[in-house]
Amino acid sequence: MPDTPQARISPDTVAKVARLARLDVSSAEVDRLTNQLAGMLEHFADIDALDLAATEPMTQPYPLVNVMRDDVVKPSLDRDEVLAAAPAAEDGRFRVPPIIGLEG
Amino acid sequence: MIDGYELVVGLEVHVELATATKLFSASANRFGDDPNTHIDPVTLGLPGALPVLNRQAVEFAMRIGLALNCTVQACTFHRKNYFYPDMPKAYQISQYDVPLNVDGWLELPGGKRIGIERAHLEEDTGKSTHIGGTGGRIHGSDYSLIDFNRAGVPLVEIVGRPDIATPDEAKQYVTELRQILVAIGASDAKMEEGSMRCDANVSVRKPGAPLGTRCEIKNVNSVRSLGRAIEYEARRQIALIEGGEKVRQETRHWDETDGRTHTLRTKEDADDYRYFLEPDLVPLAPEAVWIDAVRAALPMLPRERRARLSSATGAPADGEAVMVVVERGQDDYVLAVASAGADASRALVHVKEAYAEQGAVPSVPAADLARMIVLETSGKLTSTQAKIVLAEIMANGGGDAEKIAAAKGFEAMDTSALEAMVDEVIAAQADAWAKYCAGEEKAMGALVGAIMKASKGKADGKAVTALLQSKRG
């Protein structure tokens, strides 16, 4: 198979990624997104074509490492205020729908 | 080996670090408080909140890595994406392809080394309580309540290599790991409180065969259940294979009440967490000078403490007495009793037997126990009397063994008095003595019994035996 963008990403992959991200995507949208994502991957293929042997790998654009804080407690948010903003609360806790079935 | 099958077990242990605050925010890291009293924008995943790494958590994680003989390296953080209400960001910040600690090992008391693949930093999730349905179980519950106090608490996940071959080795591994974690102060490592949690990957195979399909066992809440769960799971898999069926790769839940594992979820569709680099955190690259300082500050580890106590007392390093006393942290005390002039092996025995309720710093001054042991080893107290005197010393948090012995009427029975008594009994029990001299070892029991009776229990059984043996020649 030629190494075309379409070969890099399939509608099935797009549908799966959408499902994992809990996105409700119609089949027409899957086709459109597959083409768009294929286009993006094509751009990465351009980068792949460059000779980067002499370039250091970069995990972050910032020239920083070891940004840390001291282990000192600061006040917590007010629980009642936070829970008042939640859709439902009970007994000092967030109340959520039954969990089973949500798992990917 | 069970029924001709080899077990292959790898353990993943999560430990909560003993920091004051969470991994990426300044809320308190504290167990058992009112729900949702240690929450902040980062913990709750509020928009715009940014994580900042806790230096102390990194230091504890490095201690763990170094104590487990790992290489500490420059590393990165990743997002592990999945939806679950106990994790409001919809991702967990963890480490993925480049973790902080790699390639170490843990040595079991008997000397076998279990490989450590990695020990990485990550954040804990909140705690869900399932309401309605049957008995707080997730299945059939009506709704769940979430407490985020634990969300964001720093964890180190220690991933062991599948080098464990028996349930007992798994128990030893976790016990040893727990002791190391407590010794280095990185975690209180309490399985019953969940600050140390253990998942077991279990598979079986015929010797020499390729690795079998593994199942991951969760919800193991004690060292004892770990052994039981592995044993049950291995037998379940063997029964499947022997019955011509296949083991399915799945996550199983250990149920303490029925002593079985149950399917939690199958992994036909392998977990797809879509890991990617955490854009809100920069890389962590501990400088060599920091790593060296953490290494230099590590305390003596349990294995070294056992070796030290073993060489001082002559007892085996993986024997019960040494293991128990080091686990209680009383080895320094035993050595102090020995340096106060007492026989180290007697000190070990007394501390092991009498000090179960005492902490690492027993209430009895080492010198007081030492004086009691000197009386015992010089024959002035029998071992039974020694125990009585020690009990009295312990009840008073110390005391002069000689005075207590005198007050209890434990008169010193000196060797010549004992010898005279032995001679009298030999004369009175000529038959038994003749049999004993003819090599009938059983006859000695009658002689010793008669001597103990004559001495009203004050003679030391060991001294009597030695005297009889020397008189027989």
Side-chain angles (χ1 to χ4, degrees):
Chain A
M1 189 188 276
D3 189 18
T4 62
Q6 283 70 24
R8 292 164 188 258
I9 188 161
S10 69
D12 284 350
T13 306
V14 174
K16 184 186 173 191
V17 170
R19 184 169 56 77
L20 288 169
R22 302 293 186 277
L23 295 175
D24 192 7
V25 180
S26 70
S27 59
E29 284 172 309
V30 167
D31 290 341
R32 183 166 54 81
L33 290 168
T34 305
N35 280 328
Q36 287 181 355
L37 287 167
M40 291 178 202
L41 289 175
E42 201 164 0
H43 173 64
F44 284 98
D46 291 344
I47 298 175
D48 277 346
L50 300 174
D51 179 7
L52 300 174
T55 308
E56 282 282 303
M58 183 177 70
T59 57
Q60 275 282 5
Y62 322 112
L64 289 171
V65 291
N66 299 343
V67 177
M68 286 178 271
R69 68 185 164 81
D70 291 335
D71 188 24
V72 177
V73 178
K74 289 186 182 164
S76 175
L77 290 176
D78 181 75
R79 179 172 76 181
D80 293 337
E81 200 180 328
V82 169
L83 289 179
E90 185 177 311
D91 212 7
R93 289 171 289 181
F94 293 85
R95 179 177 163 155
V96 299
I99 286 172
I100 202 67
L102 283 179
E103 225 173 321
Chain B
M1 192 86 96
I2 298 179
D3 298 340
Y5 284 82
E6 279 177 4
L7 252 68
V8 180
V9 179
L11 298 180
E12 290 172 15
V13 176
H14 287 84
V15 286
E16 286 179 358
L17 301 181
T19 52
T21 68
K22 297 189 176 186
L23 183 52
F24 298 116
S25 65
S27 291
N29 166 17
R30 237 174 21 232
F31 176 80
D33 286 350
D34 279 348
N36 293 308
T37 49
H38 306 308
I39 53 176
D40 55 68
V42 170
T43 300
L44 295 174
L46 299 184
L50 289 172
V52 186
L53 185 58
N54 180 340
R55 186 190 321 274
Q56 184 64 50
V58 175
E59 175 144 345
F60 283 149
M62 284 165 46
R63 280 192 208 170
I64 293 173
L66 294 169
L68 296 175
N69 309 289
C70 291
T71 303
V72 177
Q73 62 179 12
C75 57
T76 52
F77 290 91
H78 273 68
R79 290 186 182 181
K80 178 180 180 178
N81 298 280
Y82 64 96
F83 290 94
Y84 212 73
D86 62 13
M87 212 182 46
K89 299 194 300 297
Y91 58 84
Q92 176 193 31
I93 303 179
S94 181
Q95 297 196 290
Y96 184 49
D97 52 346
V98 192
L100 177 63
N101 303 297
V102 292
D103 285 334
W105 76 84
L106 177 147
E107 190 172 308
L108 301 183
K112 177 172 173 177
R113 283 184 180 179
I114 307 298
I116 305 288
E117 188 180 317
R118 53 191 281 154
H120 67 257
L121 267 167
E122 63 183 29
E123 54 179 343
D124 209 344
T125 60
K127 192 174 177 345
S128 327
T129 308
H130 309 297
I131 308 292
T134 46
R137 295 175 70 128
I138 195 167
H139 291 276
S141 64
D142 299 321
Y143 60 93
S144 298
L145 297 178
I146 316 287
D147 167 17
F148 286 119
N149 282 353
R150 198 182 64 184
V153 161
L155 293 177
V156 165
E157 178 176 348
I158 301 157
V159 181
R161 295 195 190 280
D163 297 340
I164 292 170
T166 66
D168 195 51
E169 281 181 6
K171 287 159 71 175
Q172 287 178 35
Y173 173 89
V174 170
T175 305
E176 184 71 8
L177 181 56
R178 208 191 84 77
Q179 286 191 44
I180 292 171
L181 294 167
V182 172
I184 63 178
S187 174
D188 62 6
K190 291 182 179 163
M191 282 186 91
E192 65 281 10
E193 284 185 8
S195 60
M196 176 165 174
R197 308 192 279 272
C198 183
D199 302 332
N201 286 297
V202 179
S203 67
V204 298
R205 64 171 169 192
K206 290 276 189 189
L211 283 173
T213 304
R214 68 189 156 87
C215 290
E216 184 179 10
I217 316 300
K218 289 188 174 289
N219 192 44
V220 181
N221 296 323
S222 69
V223 173
R224 188 172 159 270
S225 344
L226 176 66
R228 289 177 68 207
I230 292 170
E231 172 109 24
Y232 172 84
E233 178 59 19
R235 292 190 183 279
R236 186 190 71 85
Q237 294 182 11
I238 292 167
L240 280 176
I241 296 166
E242 291 289 314
E245 291 181 62
K246 281 191 172 156
V247 176
R248 274 193 311 177
Q249 186 174 347
E250 60 189 5
T251 302
R252 300 180 65 85
H253 186 268
W254 167 250
D255 187 333
E256 186 66 43
T257 50
D258 70 2
R260 294 161 183 258
T261 62
H262 302 271
T263 299
L264 197 62
R265 55 177 183 262
T266 56
K267 289 201 169 176
E268 285 154 3
D269 192 21
D271 294 324
D272 190 342
Y273 294 120
R274 293 147 295 140
Y275 281 95
F276 63 87
L277 270 170
E278 168 56 85
D280 293 339
L281 290 168
V282 298
L284 170 64
E287 307 88 349
V289 46
W290 189 17
I291 299 172
D292 290 344
V294 172
R295 191 195 314 271
L298 282 181
M300 194 181 278
L301 297 178
R303 178 167 46 89
E304 300 163 290
R305 302 187 82 104
R306 288 194 299 265
R308 184 180 64 152
L309 187 59
S310 168
S311 77
T313 60
D318 60 345
E320 196 196 350
V322 169
M323 296 280 290
V324 164
V325 166
V326 168
E327 185 167 3
R328 291 190 205 138
Q330 295 166 340
D331 48 326
D332 279 337
Y333 179 80
V334 170
L335 297 175
V337 174
S339 22
D343 176 70
S345 68
R346 285 312 294 164
L348 175 66
V349 169
H350 282 299
V351 168
K352 186 233 161 193
E353 287 178 0
Y355 282 52
E357 305 303 322
Q358 305 268 318
V361 184
S363 55
V364 174
D368 290 3
L369 176 57
R371 271 200 296 278
M372 193 286 289
I373 292 173
V374 168
L375 292 182
E376 185 191 9
T377 46
S378 66
K380 290 181 180 155
L381 287 175
T382 67
S383 58
T384 310
Q385 290 169 343
K387 281 182 196 159
I388 294 168
V389 171
L390 177 55
E392 179 91 8
I393 292 176
M394 289 181 70
N396 299 322
D400 183 333
E402 217 150 332
K403 281 184 190 158
I404 294 169
K408 292 205 175 289
F410 296 158
E411 307 143 35
M413 174 162 248
D414 65 30
T415 315
S416 59
L418 182 60
E419 200 164 349
M421 195 173 283
V422 169
D423 287 339
E424 275 171 40
V425 169
I426 287 175
Q429 308 252 351
D431 272 6
W433 176 246
K435 283 184 190 164
Y436 177 60
C437 289
E440 238 183 85
E441 297 298 324
K442 271 190 287 183
M444 186 168 76
L447 294 165
V448 172
I451 295 162
M452 296 305 283
K453 198 175 164 191
S455 76
K456 299 191 173 62
K458 284 178 190 165
D460 180 1
K462 270 187 245 161
V464 170
T465 309
L467 265 174
L468 287 171
Q469 280 165 345
S470 74
K471 281 181 184 294
R472 179 169 67 170

